[in-house]
Amino acid sequence: IRQFAASGSRDKLIKIWDLDKGQCINTLIGHDNWVRGLVFSPSGKYLISVSDDKTIRLWELSTGRCSHKFEAHNHFVTSVDFNSQYPLVTTSGVDGYVKIWDCK
């Protein structure tokens, strides 16, 4: 079983890493500011990212394309998590809000 990791940084890029090979296998481009948080969906088909550009983005890992973009908070979005039992995503931001997103 191949294992993957994702990293995001102030360069606005998301990198997908093959941990077995120790190599970057894809670079996802789309955020307009620092990437602050990343989480893989429980199925492993998607990656969700949050950024200082105030957005959440849903990435299809098979294509490397951003399939959905949501204006999430009124200030930097700082964290994201995917519920493993229900199709819910939680985000928090510098605006002081925690939001729960239904992914149905």
Side-chain angles (χ1 to χ4, degrees):
I1 298 175
R2 292 176 67 186
Q3 295 195 11
F4 300 94
S7 64
S9 67
R10 68 190 303 185
D11 65 5
K12 309 172 195 171
L13 302 176
I14 299 166
K15 296 192 180 273
I16 307 298
W17 300 88
D18 182 324
L19 296 179
D20 296 329
K21 296 180 180 179
Q23 295 177 335
C24 177
I25 57 171
N26 203 352
T27 300
L28 310 178
I29 300 170
H31 279 292
D32 297 325
N33 210 327
W34 290 19
V35 177
R36 293 287 185 176
L38 301 164
V39 64
F40 288 102
S41 67
S43 69
K45 293 180 181 180
Y46 301 98
L47 180 73
I48 298 175
S49 61
V50 297
S51 167
D52 282 3
D53 65 10
K54 307 175 191 173
T55 66
I56 302 171
R57 294 178 192 246
L58 177 68
W59 303 87
E60 293 182 25
L61 292 173
S62 62
T63 64
R65 293 187 180 190
C66 177
S67 62
H68 293 85
K69 173 186 168 184
F70 303 96
E71 299 296 326
H73 289 263
N74 293 323
H75 209 296
F76 303 155
V77 189
T78 55
S79 66
V80 62
D81 199 10
F82 208 115
N83 187 296
S84 61
Q85 296 180 0
Y86 302 100
L88 301 172
V89 170
T90 304
T91 60
S92 64
V94 174
D95 59 8
Y97 289 97
V98 173
K99 295 186 178 184
I100 298 174
W101 305 81
D102 191 340
C103 299
K104 289 181 185 176

